[in-house]
Coordinates of all heavy atoms in Angstrom, one line a residue:
L203 N 17.5 4.3 -11.9 CA 17.6 4.8 -10.6 C 16.5 5.7 -10.2 O 15.9 5.5 -9.1 CB 19.0 5.5 -10.4 CG 19.2 6.1 -9.0 CD1 19.4 5.0 -8.0 CD2 20.5 7.0 -9.0
R204 N 16.1 6.6 -11.1 CA 14.9 7.4 -10.8 C 13.6 6.6 -10.7 O 12.8 6.9 -9.9 CB 14.8 8.5 -11.9 CG 15.9 9.5 -11.9 CD 15.8 10.4 -10.7 NE 14.5 11.0 -10.5 CZ 14.0 11.4 -9.4 NH1 14.6 11.2 -8.3 NH2 12.8 11.9 -9.4
Q205 N 13.5 5.6 -11.5 CA 12.3 4.7 -11.5 C 12.2 4.0 -10.1 O 11.1 4.0 -9.5 CB 12.4 3.7 -12.6 CG 11.2 2.8 -12.7 CD 11.3 1.7 -13.7 OE1 12.4 1.6 -14.3 NE2 10.3 1.0 -14.0
R206 N 13.3 3.5 -9.6 CA 13.3 2.9 -8.3 C 13.0 3.9 -7.2 O 12.2 3.6 -6.2 CB 14.7 2.2 -8.0 CG 14.8 0.8 -8.4 CD 14.7 0.6 -9.9 NE 14.9 -0.8 -10.3 CZ 14.9 -1.1 -11.6 NH1 14.6 -0.2 -12.5 NH2 15.1 -2.4 -11.9
T207 N 13.5 5.1 -7.3 CA 13.2 6.1 -6.3 C 11.7 6.5 -6.3 O 11.1 6.6 -5.2 CB 14.1 7.4 -6.6 OG1 15.5 7.0 -6.6 CG2 13.8 8.4 -5.5
I208 N 11.2 6.7 -7.5 CA 9.7 7.0 -7.5 C 8.9 5.9 -7.0 O 7.9 6.1 -6.3 CB 9.4 7.3 -9.0 CG1 10.0 8.6 -9.4 CG2 7.9 7.4 -9.2 CD1 9.9 8.9 -10.9
A209 N 9.3 4.6 -7.3 CA 8.5 3.5 -6.8 C 8.6 3.4 -5.3 O 7.6 3.1 -4.6 CB 9.0 2.2 -7.4
L210 N 9.7 3.6 -4.7 CA 9.9 3.6 -3.2 C 9.1 4.7 -2.6 O 8.4 4.5 -1.6 CB 11.3 3.7 -2.8 CG 12.2 2.5 -3.0 CD1 13.7 2.8 -2.7 CD2 11.7 1.4 -2.0
N211 N 9.1 5.9 -3.2 CA 8.3 7.0 -2.6 C 6.8 6.7 -2.7 O 6.0 7.1 -1.9 CB 8.6 8.3 -3.4 CG 10.0 8.9 -3.0 OD1 10.4 8.8 -1.8 ND2 10.6 9.5 -3.9
A212 N 6.4 6.0 -3.8 CA 5.0 5.7 -3.9 C 4.6 4.7 -2.9 O 3.5 4.7 -2.3 CB 4.7 5.1 -5.3
L213 N 5.4 3.7 -2.6 CA 5.1 2.7 -1.5 C 5.0 3.4 -0.1 O 4.2 3.0 0.7 CB 6.2 1.6 -1.5 CG 6.2 0.6 -2.6 CD1 7.4 -0.3 -2.5 CD2 4.9 -0.1 -2.7
M214 N 5.8 4.5 0.1 CA 5.8 5.2 1.3 C 4.8 6.3 1.4 O 4.7 7.1 2.3 CB 7.2 5.8 1.7 CG 8.2 4.7 1.9 SD 9.9 5.4 2.4 CE 10.4 6.1 0.8
A215 N 4.0 6.4 0.3 CA 3.0 7.5 0.2 C 3.6 8.9 0.3 O 3.1 9.7 1.1 CB 1.8 7.3 1.2
R216 N 4.7 9.1 -0.4 CA 5.4 10.4 -0.3 C 5.4 11.0 -1.7 O 4.9 10.4 -2.7 CB 6.8 10.3 0.2 CG 6.9 9.6 1.5 CD 8.3 9.9 2.2 NE 9.4 9.7 1.3 CZ 10.7 9.9 1.6 NH1 11.0 10.4 2.8 NH2 11.6 9.7 0.7
D217 N 5.9 12.2 -1.8 CA 6.0 12.9 -3.1 C 7.0 12.1 -4.0 O 8.1 11.8 -3.5 CB 6.5 14.3 -2.9 CG 6.5 15.1 -4.2 OD1 6.1 14.6 -5.2 OD2 7.1 16.3 -4.2
P218 N 6.6 11.8 -5.2 CA 7.5 11.0 -6.0 C 8.8 11.6 -6.3 O 9.8 11.0 -6.6 CB 6.7 10.7 -7.3 CG 5.3 10.9 -6.9 CD 5.3 11.9 -5.8
A219 N 8.9 13.0 -6.3 CA 10.1 13.7 -6.5 C 11.0 13.9 -5.3 O 12.1 14.5 -5.4 CB 9.8 15.1 -7.1
T220 N 10.7 13.3 -4.2 CA 11.5 13.4 -3.0 C 12.8 12.6 -3.1 O 12.8 11.4 -3.5 CB 10.7 12.9 -1.8 OG1 9.5 13.6 -1.6 CG2 11.5 13.1 -0.5
E221 N 13.9 13.3 -2.9 CA 15.2 12.7 -3.0 C 15.7 12.2 -1.7 O 15.4 12.8 -0.7 CB 16.2 13.7 -3.6 CG 15.9 14.1 -5.0 CD 16.2 13.1 -6.0 OE1 16.8 12.0 -5.7 OE2 15.7 13.2 -7.2
F222 N 16.3 11.1 -1.7 CA 16.9 10.5 -0.5 C 18.1 9.6 -0.9 O 18.2 9.1 -2.0 CB 15.9 9.7 0.4 CG 15.3 8.5 -0.3 CD1 15.9 7.3 -0.2 CD2 14.2 8.7 -1.1 CE1 15.3 6.2 -0.9 CE2 13.6 7.6 -1.8 CZ 14.2 6.3 -1.6
A223 N 19.0 9.4 0.1 CA 20.1 8.5 -0.2 C 19.9 7.2 0.5 O 19.3 7.1 1.6 CB 21.4 9.2 0.3
V224 N 20.4 6.1 0.0 CA 20.2 4.8 0.6 C 21.5 4.5 1.4 O 22.5 5.0 1.2 CB 20.0 3.7 -0.5 CG1 18.7 4.0 -1.3 CG2 21.2 3.7 -1.5
D225 N 21.3 3.6 2.4 CA 22.3 3.1 3.2 C 23.0 1.9 2.6 O 22.3 0.9 2.5 CB 21.8 2.9 4.6 CG 22.9 2.6 5.6 OD1 24.0 2.7 5.3 OD2 22.5 2.2 6.8
T226 N 24.2 2.0 2.2 CA 24.9 0.9 1.6 C 25.4 -0.2 2.6 O 25.7 -1.3 2.2 CB 26.1 1.4 0.8 OG1 27.0 2.1 1.6 CG2 25.6 2.3 -0.4
L227 N 25.4 0.2 3.9 CA 25.8 -0.8 4.9 C 24.6 -1.6 5.4 O 24.1 -1.3 6.5 CB 26.5 0.0 6.1 CG 27.8 0.8 5.7 CD1 28.3 1.5 6.9 CD2 28.8 -0.2 5.1
L228 N 24.2 -2.5 4.6 CA 23.1 -3.3 5.0 C 23.5 -4.4 5.9 O 24.6 -5.0 5.8 CB 22.4 -3.9 3.7 CG 21.8 -2.9 2.8 CD1 21.3 -3.6 1.5 CD2 20.7 -2.2 3.4
P229 N 22.6 -4.8 6.9 CA 22.9 -5.9 7.8 C 22.9 -7.2 7.1 O 22.2 -7.5 6.1 CB 21.8 -5.8 8.8 CG 20.7 -5.2 8.1 CD 21.3 -4.2 7.2

Side-chain angles (χ1 to χ4, degrees):
L203 180 66
R204 290 295 304 156
Q205 182 182 9
R206 270 63 175 182
T207 303
I208 293 173
L210 283 172
N211 286 326
L213 289 177
M214 294 184 289
R216 304 199 311 176
D217 184 8
T220 303
E221 295 289 346
F222 62 91
V224 295
D225 187 7
T226 56
L227 300 178
L228 294 175

